[in-house]
Amino acid sequence: MAVQFSHSRVSTFNQCPYKYKLHYVDDVKVERKITPTDALILGTAMHEGIEKGPEAASQYYLSQFQMHTEEHLIEEFKLKYWAKQAHSVLPLQHAIFEKKLDHKDFVGYMDMLVPLEKKNRYHLFDFKYSNNQQSYMTSGQLHEYKAFFESTHPGMTIDKMFFVFIPKIVLEKNVTESLEEYFKRLEKELSQHTIEVKEVIFDYQKVVDFTLSIKRILETSTFHKVPSKLCGWCDYFNQCSEEERF
């Protein structure tokens, strides 16, 4: 069966071929430690909030945990705040959410497509609940989405592409502070920041780089480790450490 490559799959290989092998070749399962600030859960909740409203973000987020501590309620507060802000700055009225790209060689989901007045023309938006703007702005993700969308939808064009950056704000709660007092202070802090919508200019070389990476993956038989400062955040960190020890 032919493999469909995604942006995250290829990015994993480029970051560390051994991590790629464990995840995509060996299908090694790891138990993730879920915390109130889990990036995957927060990101999905933010998507829910932008598409369906603040309450949807809250409902999804809280449903992922059996118990809710102050930490959970603080993250929920931030999610609802930013989902409300997103509804005031993004063109959501006729938006198409979670549009699947299903090419024979590529699979992906576009967060939001907004149809323009001109028929079959769109703007593409991708949501990032992150402060790490630089790495996303230089990535090939949106370039790949545009290329494969237009390949699978003849006559349709993505005119412009944007990342929507929702800032992650950390504000420590004082020991003597009530949750109500903290929320007032947190809201004031959040109001000092804004959602940033940044345009990405299409670069076909990014698509070429993506296809060349796929070629390298298909030709690779030995998946070597690439130690880096990112290792501490890798799901396979403990397994790698054990192997090195022995």
Side-chain angles (χ1 to χ4, degrees):
M1 184 172 141
V3 175
Q4 282 182 304
F5 287 89
S6 65
H7 174 76
S8 59
R9 183 173 185 137
V10 172
S11 295
T12 299
F13 177 84
N14 288 334
Q15 180 193 111
C16 177
Y18 187 68
K19 178 181 178 181
Y20 175 92
K21 177 179 182 291
L22 292 175
H23 185 74
Y24 292 104
V25 180
D26 298 340
D27 195 25
V28 175
K29 305 296 183 186
V30 291
E31 187 174 342
R32 288 197 311 122
K33 184 179 179 182
I34 305 298
T35 68
T37 56
D38 184 88
L40 182 59
I41 292 174
L42 286 173
T44 304
M46 186 62 72
H47 281 65
E48 286 287 304
I50 294 174
E51 179 179 354
K52 302 171 186 174
E55 291 304 321
S58 170
Q59 184 177 0
Y60 174 83
Y61 176 74
L62 294 178
S63 72
Q64 302 305 300
F65 305 94
Q66 293 181 335
M67 297 175 58
H68 303 142
T69 65
E70 276 193 352
E71 286 184 85
H72 294 96
L73 299 179
I74 288 169
E75 293 305 322
E76 178 205 17
F77 183 94
K78 289 187 277 189
L79 283 165
K80 291 175 72 174
Y81 178 91
W82 288 123
K84 183 178 179 181
Q85 296 302 310
H87 276 248
S88 68
V89 301
L90 295 177
L92 303 175
Q93 188 173 3
H94 301 294
I96 302 163
F97 292 95
E98 289 295 300
K99 172 69 175 175
K100 185 178 182 181
L101 289 170
D102 197 5
H103 185 273
K104 64 182 179 66
D105 298 318
F106 181 84
V107 64
Y109 290 86
M110 297 186 291
D111 286 347
M112 185 172 83
L113 270 181
V114 176
L116 306 179
E117 288 187 9
K118 197 168 183 179
K119 188 178 179 182
N120 292 332
R121 308 296 278 267
Y122 299 88
H123 283 173
L124 167 62
F125 295 81
D126 193 90
F127 314 136
K128 300 299 183 190
Y129 191 19
S130 171
N131 298 328
N132 191 16
Q133 294 190 14
Q134 183 61 28
S135 66
Y136 288 116
M137 290 297 292
T138 56
S139 79
Q141 183 181 5
L142 298 189
H143 309 268
E144 297 151 21
Y145 285 0
K146 171 179 165 66
F148 284 102
F149 173 80
E150 293 175 358
S151 172
T152 54
H153 297 77
M156 296 186 180
T157 303
I158 291 175
D159 282 357
K160 292 186 177 182
M161 312 178 295
F162 305 89
F163 277 119
V164 179
F165 292 109
I166 300 104
K168 272 192 175 178
I169 307 303
V170 178
L171 182 67
E172 194 166 336
K173 181 178 177 293
N174 299 327
V175 177
T176 59
E177 195 173 26
S178 71
L179 198 55
E180 184 179 357
E181 290 170 332
Y182 173 76
F183 281 153
K184 288 180 181 177
R185 194 161 60 88
L186 177 60
E187 184 168 19
K188 184 177 179 180
E189 177 64 27
L190 293 175
S191 71
Q192 304 302 309
H193 304 268
T194 58
I195 293 174
E196 294 189 65
V197 181
K198 293 196 171 183
E199 185 176 359
V200 176
I201 305 303
F202 181 68
D203 180 358
Y204 190 72
Q205 184 59 46
K206 299 281 189 184
V207 183
V208 173
D209 293 342
F210 180 79
T211 56
L212 290 175
S213 291
I214 291 176
K215 181 176 182 291
R216 287 203 310 274
I217 292 170
L218 295 174
E219 293 173 349
T220 297
S221 57
T222 302
F223 297 84
H224 59 278
K225 297 179 182 180
V226 180
S228 76
K229 62 183 180 181
L230 299 175
C231 288
W233 285 271
C234 179
D235 290 338
Y236 302 102
F237 177 73
N238 291 334
Q239 179 168 334
C240 262
S241 299
E242 284 296 309
E243 289 175 0
E244 292 293 335
R245 208 157 59 84
F246 287 102

